[in-house]
Amino acid sequence: MESAQICICASESEVRTGLFLIPEGVYDFSASGHWFDASIPAGPEGYPSDRGPFWMRWFERWRRQPDANWFELIGAFGNGEMFNIGLGRQGYRPPKQGTQELICFANDLSGFYWNNSGGVVLTVTRAK
């Protein structure tokens, strides 16, 4: 099995991993580390709105991936497809539109990456 590790920095709205996932492949993801949404600490699984200031609930629907936690690790492709990674994901099959580069980021509001810090380490393993 082939594996790669990439640091995903919280202050970057788009981390190009340099990993090109092929549609026929099956991939496993695991992540570890800590990052900060302003002063709120989180792991790759992120945190629910009730752990932050009360007003965060008002902005949930404008997160880049609305159905994921704040600061959850998200994977994406150039075609707009996004998927939740969090602490890990097993047996992921990429979109069928050809080989595409994996892009990752902390789930936050667009334009609000300037106050973030820290990073998590993502391990991607081609399982098949």
Side-chain angles (χ1 to χ4, degrees):
M1 291 191 285
E2 303 169 52
S3 285
Q5 287 190 322
I6 306 101
C7 182
I8 311 299
C9 297
S11 61
E12 295 183 38
S13 63
E14 184 175 280
V15 176
R16 296 192 166 275
T17 65
L19 299 177
F20 289 83
L21 306 188
I22 60 171
E24 305 80 36
V26 177
Y27 298 88
D28 295 335
F29 300 89
S30 64
S32 62
H34 292 89
W35 44 16
F36 295 87
D37 183 1
S39 63
I40 302 167
E45 72 278 14
Y47 63 92
S49 292
D50 62 2
R51 218 178 91 204
F54 74 92
W55 51 264
M56 291 187 84
R57 289 185 192 92
W58 301 338
F59 296 97
E60 287 177 337
R61 67 178 152 208
W62 290 293
R63 289 181 291 212
R64 293 178 63 193
Q65 179 75 324
D67 67 339
N69 280 334
W70 288 102
F71 250 60
E72 184 170 345
L73 177 59
I74 304 295
F77 297 100
N79 68 358
E81 180 172 324
M82 289 188 263
F83 62 100
N84 302 12
I85 297 174
L87 282 169
R89 185 177 182 130
Q90 305 299 307
Y92 178 75
R93 295 178 183 274
K96 299 291 183 206
Q97 292 92 343
T99 301
Q100 297 185 53
E101 184 177 12
L102 174 65
I103 298 165
C104 293
F105 55 87
N107 193 31
D108 203 354
L109 300 171
S110 291
F112 279 80
Y113 285 83
W114 57 270
N115 66 348
N116 302 336
S117 62
V120 298
V121 175
L122 173 64
T123 301
V124 180
T125 303
R126 183 169 175 197
K128 189 174 173 185

